[in-house]
Amino acid sequence: MKRLDLKTLLTGALAGLTAALLVLGASVQPSFFSALLYTASALPILLVGLGWGNVAAIVAVVTAAALGAVFISPSFALIMTLVTLLPAGWLSHLANLARPASELGGPDDLLAWYPLSDILLHLCGLVTFAVIVIGVIIGYGPEITDPIVDLLITSLKQQQPEFMPDPAATAQTKSLILLMLPALQGGMWVTMLFAAYYFAVRIVAASGRGLRPREDIPSSLRMNRNSIFIFLAGLAACFFGGVPALIGATVIGTFGAGFMLSGFASLHFRTRGKDWRLPALILCYLASMLMLLPALLILVVGLSDTRKAIALTPTKDADAPKQPDTKI
């Protein structure tokens, strides 16, 4: 943790103010642009955490949460903290962790940084926790999703008077929507928060304040092997129904997004040097956004390529001349 001083505190407070303003701007009129603003509110926290350390990140999180509680409501501040502020602060903390590579069996003059695969694992876990807590706060359940399906059916009947929905199909649709919403919400937030982390790392590295070395994302972004068991546990929970199914769907959405990110990174890595790389990647991205089967294939690629890549950098005294051994 960096030294506590006035400059660090002011930098953290300014970042918290910026994050709060972005969230307040996003809450004015819900839209796709507001979702981008909400995600962008994680950037100031990530920037100060990566560049100025844990103290600045903590000050930024507390400042943003306090402003949200004062100008909106305490519950809004809690949701904002769970969804963006806390994950951003924790990711910046993990990204700055390093230890001697000798502790892992490596050379004595190198530092081993916290693996990117474990950072992604923590992100998936934090978003899962946030979605579950928010679901408890708002009382998420059929009471919220069933009216949405009924409204869609009513609208369809008005457009097509001859349409007669099957009660069994309607019930299945309601059950599917109930599980899909937390999965989609969790997956979207994992993707967008990792994108914010990616840009924050690049900005801090360009400014010269970054401690963590710039990693090659296509070769290093993979999910932790233990994530497979969590993903399978979430899949199994969906068959129990009720609250376990909702939790399982959330896990599938968040960790599935993590595996898709690693799958795309693997595709980037495997297509390096190919003449057809750019159009192939564009086609993969578009197809995975528009169709389910390509997205599942990317997910399978991520599931099949799990490993832990550790970034290494020289220690500060690596270039210093070694003292001769005077012992006889």
Side-chain angles (χ1 to χ4, degrees):
M1 186 175 291
K2 292 193 174 183
R3 182 170 58 89
L4 180 63
D5 56 21
L6 182 60
K7 183 178 180 180
T8 300
L9 296 177
L10 291 177
T11 303
L14 180 61
L17 174 62
T18 305
L21 290 176
L22 288 170
V23 174
L24 293 175
S27 62
V28 172
Q29 186 175 2
S31 63
F32 177 75
F33 181 69
S34 66
L36 293 179
L37 284 178
Y38 208 101
T39 306
S41 66
L43 266 177
I45 311 298
L46 287 164
L47 290 174
V48 295
L50 293 169
W52 282 266
N54 291 339
V55 172
I58 293 172
V59 172
V61 171
V62 172
T63 301
L67 291 174
V70 170
F71 289 100
I72 303 294
S73 67
S75 60
F76 178 84
L78 176 61
I79 293 175
M80 177 177 65
T81 302
L82 289 174
V83 173
T84 57
L85 303 181
L86 184 60
W90 185 247
L91 290 185
S92 65
H93 165 69
L94 294 178
N96 285 335
L97 291 180
R99 61 177 176 173
S102 57
E103 296 181 4
L104 303 175
D108 295 332
D109 58 344
L110 294 179
L111 281 177
W113 294 86
Y114 200 79
L116 189 59
S117 59
D118 291 351
I119 292 177
L120 186 56
L121 172 64
H122 278 257
L123 174 60
C124 295
L126 285 171
V127 175
T128 301
F129 175 75
V131 173
I132 292 173
V133 172
I134 292 173
V136 173
I137 293 175
I138 66 175
Y140 181 80
E143 300 80 8
I144 294 179
T145 58
D146 286 356
I148 299 176
V149 178
D150 293 335
L151 181 62
L152 292 175
I153 293 176
T154 302
S155 176
L156 188 58
K157 282 183 177 180
Q158 292 176 352
Q159 297 177 4
Q160 301 179 7
E162 68 279 3
F163 174 71
M164 294 297 295
D166 181 30
T170 301
Q172 290 181 353
T173 302
K174 290 181 178 180
S175 300
L176 182 62
I177 295 297
L178 180 66
L179 297 179
M180 280 182 59
L181 287 183
L184 292 175
Q185 185 71 26
M188 181 183 69
W189 277 113
V190 167
T191 304
M192 299 182 80
L193 284 175
F194 184 81
Y197 168 80
Y198 174 83
F199 287 114
V201 169
R202 293 296 181 262
I203 293 172
V204 173
S207 69
R209 294 197 62 93
L211 299 176
R212 188 181 183 91
R214 180 169 179 172
E215 296 172 271
D216 181 49
I217 296 296
S219 62
S220 60
L221 180 59
R222 301 293 185 273
M223 283 289 279
N224 189 297
R225 290 185 176 90
N226 295 329
S227 303
I228 296 179
F229 302 106
I230 301 175
F231 183 79
L232 292 177
L235 185 62
C238 290
F239 293 96
F240 288 92
V243 175
L246 292 176
I247 296 176
T250 305
V251 170
I252 289 176
T254 53
F255 282 81
F259 281 113
M260 286 191 66
L261 287 172
S262 64
F264 278 117
S266 180
L267 287 180
H268 277 264
F269 181 72
R270 297 181 184 187
T271 56
R272 275 182 172 171
K274 309 295 183 181
D275 296 335
W276 42 266
R277 181 175 190 256
L278 182 60
L281 289 176
I282 293 176
L283 182 62
C284 288
Y285 277 106
L286 291 177
S288 63
M289 288 188 294
L290 299 176
M291 294 180 287
L292 180 61
L293 182 59
L296 291 177
L297 292 177
I298 301 297
L299 176 66
V300 171
V301 172
L303 285 167
S304 63
D305 188 7
T306 56
R307 54 188 172 85
K308 183 181 295 187
I310 301 177
L312 300 174
T313 56
T315 57
K316 292 183 179 180
D317 56 349
D319 298 329
K322 295 183 179 180
Q323 296 294 330
D325 189 0
T326 58
K327 293 183 179 180
I328 299 178

